[in-house]
Amino acid sequence: MQDIKLTRTNTKAFAYNTKSPVEFLGKFEAVIETRKRISVATFYVAKAANCGNLLSLTTAQELGLISLHVDKLTSKDAALENILQKHSKVFSDLGKLKGEKIKLDIDKTKIPKAQPQRRIPYHIREKVKNAITELEIKM
């Protein structure tokens, strides 16, 4: 990534439960790719030191990393498809539990707080990295 020049941006983004926007140093466009697809994406560079990385929904879809189906759950993995078909009753009517009553105990005196993203524990980072690589290969 040589010769990248940041351009000014007026984009405003807010972290959860904050009133002030994230301060951006600028933005740039770059080509990103997976094993199967290539896309051009806009990257926003934040001033904060401990920012995580996000991939927009549009970019993830263009790269074929995810696909959204409002009323249907599908997979390219035959084993997973087998499970989905075998237990189709559980995976139908996404977001609804028919005939089930659930009571959520919520303390309304507590104010929600934004939580920092959790880091992967050091002792399992290598396993997570290998699992992600394995998933990328399957795509």
Side-chain angles (χ1 to χ4, degrees):
M1 295 192 49
Q2 301 167 1
D3 301 325
I4 300 263
K5 297 200 188 311
L6 293 179
T7 57
R8 289 179 52 116
T9 180
N10 293 327
T11 301
K12 290 191 178 189
F14 294 83
Y16 176 75
N17 205 20
T18 62
K19 295 186 192 283
S20 58
V22 174
E23 189 175 342
F24 290 116
L25 297 173
K27 67 179 181 178
F28 67 93
E29 284 192 349
V31 175
I32 57 175
E33 61 183 277
T34 62
R35 293 185 189 272
K36 296 181 181 180
R37 296 192 182 161
I38 297 175
S39 180
V40 176
T42 303
F43 291 84
Y44 292 87
V45 180
K47 189 172 183 179
N50 294 328
C51 283
N53 300 310
L54 295 176
L55 190 61
S56 73
L57 172 63
T58 306
T59 303
Q61 286 176 318
E62 285 174 5
L63 292 171
L65 298 174
I66 62 170
S67 62
L68 295 179
H69 306 278
V70 176
D71 60 347
K72 187 177 177 184
L73 184 61
T74 61
S75 171
K76 293 178 183 175
D77 185 356
L80 181 57
E81 272 302 318
N82 226 0
I83 293 170
L84 292 173
Q85 286 178 358
K86 184 177 178 183
H87 303 285
S88 62
K89 185 177 171 185
V90 176
F91 294 107
S92 62
D93 294 329
L94 189 62
K96 298 179 181 178
L97 294 172
K98 289 185 177 181
E100 298 289 329
K101 286 190 176 186
I102 297 174
K103 183 178 183 297
L104 300 176
D105 294 318
I106 299 173
D107 185 352
K108 294 183 179 180
T109 63
K110 303 290 183 193
I111 299 171
K113 290 187 177 181
Q115 297 289 322
Q117 70 184 41
R118 307 258 193 261
R119 293 183 183 261
I120 297 172
Y122 188 78
H123 68 283
I124 63 168
R125 285 184 186 170
E126 194 62 36
K127 288 181 184 176
V128 172
K129 182 179 173 186
N130 291 339
I132 291 171
T133 303
E134 198 173 304
L135 288 171
E136 289 175 338
I137 290 170
K138 287 183 180 180
M139 294 184 119

